[in-house]
Amino acid sequence: LDSTLFQIIVMEYFSQVKLLLLSFNKIQHLKPYHFEMFINKNSSESMLETIKLDSNEISSIQHDTFYNFKNLKFIDLSRNKLKIIHPL
């Protein structure tokens, strides 16, 4: 399988994901580029509705991390070390 074709297939799959479970992963920071693969390149939006990030080590979130997530209804950030959500 051609690597470009593989990338297209993977990107198409990830852009359709509605539930993302990332609990218990020792994640420390959240930035927009961490979630780029979940954004549909044609519509510039994500289908994600729920993101579970509980029980990590998140201490900061960049202000535009979830900007293109218009369908997002729930983010679980419980049991983290959250100190900073960077302002606009």
Side-chain angles (χ1 to χ4, degrees), residues 7-69:
Q7 287 177 331
I8 291 169
I9 292 169
V10 168
M11 294 304 283
E12 185 64 30
Y13 171 76
F14 280 113
S15 70
Q16 300 302 310
V17 172
K18 292 187 177 197
L19 171 64
L20 182 60
L21 303 174
L22 293 171
S23 304
F24 301 97
N25 278 292
K26 297 186 179 181
I27 298 168
Q28 296 179 349
H29 306 283
L30 296 180
K31 297 185 179 186
Y33 66 84
H34 293 148
F35 298 96
E36 282 179 356
M37 70 182 74
F38 298 100
I39 296 173
N40 183 306
K41 300 304 175 201
N42 295 326
S43 68
S44 297
E45 291 186 3
S46 170
M47 296 300 293
L48 272 171
E49 295 178 354
T50 300
I51 303 175
K52 301 233 349 132
L53 288 157
D54 60 290
S55 304
N56 279 288
E57 297 176 2
I58 300 169
S59 62
S60 68
I61 302 173
Q62 191 168 321
H63 75 279
D64 55 349
T65 300
F66 302 108
Y67 181 77
N68 289 316
F69 294 81

